[in-house]
Amino acid sequence: MIWHAVRLGLRRGLTETKHAFREPQEIFFTLFWAGSFLVVIYFQRDATIAGVSLAALTLPSLVTLGIAFNGLMGMVGGLAVEREDGTLLRAKSVPHGMVGYVIAKVVLISLSSLTGSMLVLLPSLFMVSALDAVGVPGWLGLFGILMLGLLATLPWGAVIGSFASNPQTGAGFSMLGLAGLAAISGIFYPITSMPGWLQVVAQVFPPYWLGHGARAAVLPPGFAAAELTGAWRVEWCVLVLALWAAAGFLIAPGVLRRMARRESGSVMQARRERAMQRVG
Amino acid sequence: MPSLEDAVHDLATDVIRVHDLRMSYGPVEVLKGVDFTVRRGEVIVLLGPNGAGKTTTIEILEGFRMRSGGQVTVLGVDPARGDEAWRARLGVVLQSWRDHGRWKVGELLAHLRAFYTPYRTPFDLDELLAAVGLAEHAGRRLSKLSGGERRRLDVAIGIVGRPELLFLDEPTAGFDPHARRDFHDLLHRLSDLEETTILMTTHDLDEAEKLADRILILDEGGIVADGSPDALARKVARDAQVRWSVDGEHFVHATDDVTAFVRGLFAQHGDAVQDLEIRRATLEDTYMAMVLKEVRR
């Protein structure tokens, strides 16, 4: 019975993805983000720091950061909105509907995040010559990191989306938190020049390791010199991301269930009335 | 002391049993001991002023809300512990929704229908769309539907799994008279052909009178009236109003024995009696009397 719902969820995810790709607003946002990342890469394409291509350093990190943003924000936003418009309640009212609902969300967000990364990655290949040497194992490694990034962020998006009392606060807080983590992740500013305690904080959270893992996958060994320990630490990267993913998948189902149990028509109505007051 | 046989019989025929149901939101007590039972195949309309706890009651029965106290069984199961197999036997139409705006009508109905197939035989998609008058809108996006069309789709989704028990919370809000009559036909068919038990709320007393086998009036946190529309009307106002005219002069008289009175009228005036009109108390009279009595208390 539950596998039947899982299958329906997968199909629902594909349907929702199809809908999203037909929505002018969604297309615009996807292209806008990919475009702005590409502009950064374009201006960095010939720049080097100590003989190292800046664009080659930035690209893998940007792509993985995009995944983390999409994974977390997509889940937070999706849940918050669909708690309010009744989608979740509709899912609750059919047998195993919540299973189908959550699986579909995971499929939708994974597919749209991966599409976003491809939109940045593929054109960049033509601009950044340092990436010409990356072989199949390198790209597979990057894909692996992207998947790990989704696994480490999606369940946490579900947790935040379940706790948030309204869409705006949920999205606002997670955006703020993620921006803070991104700032210290070494993607925009070299982590080696940050104070030691900040380096420790950065290494607790996924964004740093997503960037690190992506760089390790596609960059030549020489680039490792710019990293914290002067070497690639792939095993640490996988370990930290896997821990976040495992903790997330352990916590999320319970939190989702609790939230879903509390969801009802009158709760939704009350929330909508508060929303109207905020607007009015 | 009921015999064991009676108890088993009750279990088999009572679809909903509610005893001393209580619900508080913080210090506010919304339901203060609600009692009622619903038997298989009955159509029950729950009436009551806004804020009386109608939606709260329905949500508790649907398993969407935890009660504060009392005993409740729905299809033999405590809704607080209802599993997915239990859920598959229910149909739910909540108040206004605006979800799935990007989905097409047929697409969404087919998707939600599929969840029921491991448990029971759902309705045929095309038949159901035709029954709710949405056959020509199957390819339409939900965001493009009118309020009434959307509500009809809500109803279609609520019954797609051929439920044994159907909950409807103000299903006809926003319907035009034609759509309303079609909807009433649909409910009659469900009740007659599928033996679906139906519990609905409405603000339309005329609708309640047409559909209900039994009416429950919920007010001030309890059931203040329980009976067929006729029985309720008789309980409140035994008198019927008789209007007539003789030689262009109009008369009104209230009596509890209409037949005897009218017989007397004809015996006295014969063919001179014109414009005869007998008006029994309507559900509206009953409802107003019941709820106002509560307010005065």
Side-chain angles (χ1 to χ4, degrees):
Chain A
M1 308 259 171
I2 195 148
W3 292 111
H4 179 77
V6 169
R7 230 177 14 253
L8 291 177
L10 292 175
R11 203 185 309 158
R12 178 186 168 91
L14 293 181
T15 308
E16 288 196 310
T17 311
K18 189 181 79 189
H19 291 159
F21 284 150
R22 283 184 190 163
E23 201 67 24
Q25 206 182 338
E26 301 246 352
I27 298 171
F28 172 79
F29 273 111
T30 311
L31 291 180
F32 178 81
W33 278 108
S36 39
F37 279 7
L38 283 173
V39 167
V40 174
I41 300 296
Y42 178 78
F43 282 113
Q44 291 185 346
R45 71 193 184 284
D46 294 326
T48 52
I49 295 175
V52 168
S53 161
L54 189 56
L57 267 178
T58 316
L59 180 64
S61 324
L62 270 187
V63 169
T64 47
L65 191 66
I67 284 275
F69 260 99
N70 274 319
L72 194 76
M73 301 305 295
M75 206 65 175
V76 172
L79 270 185
V81 167
E82 294 184 347
R83 274 166 69 190
E84 206 150 277
D85 73 6
T87 307
L88 219 131
L89 222 51
R90 180 93 72 190
K92 256 183 79 171
S93 65
V94 301
H96 281 307
M98 274 305 286
V99 173
Y101 172 82
V102 172
I103 301 272
K105 273 269 96 61
V106 170
V107 171
L108 165 67
I109 295 166
S110 304
L111 286 179
S112 50
S113 311
L114 290 174
T115 308
S117 342
M118 289 308 126
L119 284 176
V120 179
L121 204 55
L122 295 178
S124 302
L125 291 179
F126 296 100
M127 294 193 281
V128 186
S129 53
L131 293 177
D132 290 350
V134 180
V136 172
W139 293 124
L140 281 181
L142 180 66
F143 181 73
I145 292 290
L146 292 182
M147 294 310 283
L148 210 49
L150 280 173
L151 292 178
T153 48
L154 281 174
W156 292 103
V159 170
I160 298 171
S162 303
F163 275 121
S165 55
N166 70 64
Q168 287 91 338
T169 34
F173 273 112
S174 29
M175 194 73 182
L176 226 73
L178 202 58
L181 290 177
I184 59 167
S185 67
I187 290 173
F188 301 107
Y189 185 75
I191 194 167
T192 41
S193 5
M194 288 179 197
W197 64 269
L198 212 54
Q199 293 178 357
V200 173
V201 172
Q203 289 180 74
V204 172
F205 293 99
Y208 169 76
W209 291 107
L210 281 171
H212 181 89
R215 292 192 293 275
V218 299
L219 297 182
F223 280 68
E227 297 295 327
L228 264 181
T229 57
W232 301 124
R233 290 180 287 163
V234 178
E235 63 289 352
W236 277 99
C237 161
V238 172
L239 182 72
V240 174
L241 292 177
L243 276 179
W244 275 94
F249 276 96
L250 222 60
I251 296 173
V255 174
L256 271 170
R257 254 199 301 276
R258 198 189 72 119
M259 178 270 291
R261 209 168 36 233
R262 291 183 172 192
E263 226 39 48
S264 67
S266 40
V267 169
M268 202 171 85
Q269 190 66 32
R271 208 185 291 127
R272 191 180 304 163
E273 273 156 22
R274 279 205 305 277
M276 298 302 274
Q277 279 167 1
R278 276 202 302 274
V279 174
Chain B
M1 187 75 191
S3 73
L4 183 64
E5 222 168 287
D6 287 343
V8 170
H9 179 74
D10 284 352
L11 274 180
T13 51
D14 285 349
V15 173
I16 300 176
R17 322 182 109 207
V18 177
H19 178 62
D20 194 30
L21 172 62
R22 293 170 180 280
M23 185 70 200
S24 313
Y25 298 112
V28 185
E29 211 179 9
V30 180
L31 302 178
K32 305 169 185 170
V34 171
D35 290 273
F36 67 92
T37 54
V38 177
R39 300 169 85 79
R40 187 166 300 279
E42 269 192 309
V43 178
I44 304 288
V45 174
L46 190 56
L47 296 176
N50 284 329
K54 299 189 297 289
T55 297
T56 299
T57 305
I58 283 208
E59 285 181 351
I60 289 170
L61 298 176
E62 289 163 342
F64 283 177
R65 186 179 278 288
M66 296 303 120
R67 61 187 184 271
S68 309
Q71 287 95 51
V72 179
T73 53
V74 172
L75 295 170
V77 174
D78 180 346
R81 283 191 277 279
D83 60 5
E84 304 296 320
W86 172 77
R87 165 121 353 254
R89 301 164 68 193
L90 304 180
V92 169
V93 178
L94 294 181
Q95 289 188 20
S96 60
W97 272 335
R98 44 167 193 184
D99 56 311
H100 290 94
R102 292 175 182 174
W103 287 65
K104 289 178 183 146
V105 170
E107 193 177 41
L108 182 63
L109 193 55
H111 169 66
L112 294 172
R113 177 187 182 277
F115 280 90
Y116 291 93
T117 51
Y119 302 93
R120 51 209 298 118
T121 314
F123 279 111
D124 179 78
L125 199 64
D126 296 326
E127 271 175 37
L128 184 54
L129 281 173
V132 296
L134 288 175
E136 69 274 32
H137 296 315
R140 199 108 160 268
R141 279 169 53 140
L142 264 67
S143 56
K144 299 270 188 278
L145 296 181
S146 73
E149 286 163 350
R150 217 193 149 104
R151 208 69 192 120
R152 265 138 67 193
L153 177 63
D154 283 340
V155 172
I157 291 170
I159 65 175
V160 69
R162 223 184 273 265
E164 288 169 51
L165 170 61
L166 176 62
F167 294 104
L168 299 150
D169 204 354
E170 291 182 28
T172 52
F175 277 25
D176 59 38
H178 182 74
R180 192 175 297 258
R181 209 186 51 209
D182 287 348
F183 172 75
H184 293 170
D185 289 345
L186 179 68
L187 282 200
H188 281 308
R189 251 184 296 164
L190 277 177
S191 167
D192 295 346
L193 301 180
E194 305 283 333
E195 288 216 315
T196 312
T197 310
I198 298 172
L199 177 61
M200 65 179 278
T201 70
T202 182
H203 279 298
D204 183 338
L205 296 168
D206 197 39
E207 176 170 276
E209 201 162 7
K210 269 190 198 126
L211 291 176
D213 294 327
R214 197 146 57 85
I215 285 174
L216 301 173
I217 300 181
L218 186 63
D219 194 25
E220 305 257 314
I223 302 285
V224 296
D226 179 348
S228 71
D230 270 359
L232 287 192
R234 270 196 297 276
K235 198 165 154 191
V236 169
R238 304 176 77 101
D239 292 354
Q241 265 185 4
V242 183
R243 292 162 183 270
W244 73 97
S245 71
V246 174
D247 302 333
E249 200 180 341
H250 288 264
F251 301 92
V252 182
H253 180 75
T255 171
D256 61 350
D257 189 353
V258 181
T259 318
F261 179 78
V262 173
R263 197 182 292 125
L265 205 62
F266 279 109
Q268 197 180 340
H269 300 288
D271 289 348
V273 177
Q274 297 282 316
D275 301 320
L276 181 66
E277 194 182 306
I278 298 163
R279 186 175 171 276
R280 296 216 172 257
T282 62
L283 182 62
E284 189 174 345
D285 301 329
T286 316
Y287 177 80
M288 294 316 282
M290 295 266 174
V291 171
L292 283 180
K293 194 169 70 194
E294 289 294 311
V295 170
R296 275 201 303 271
R297 194 182 58 195

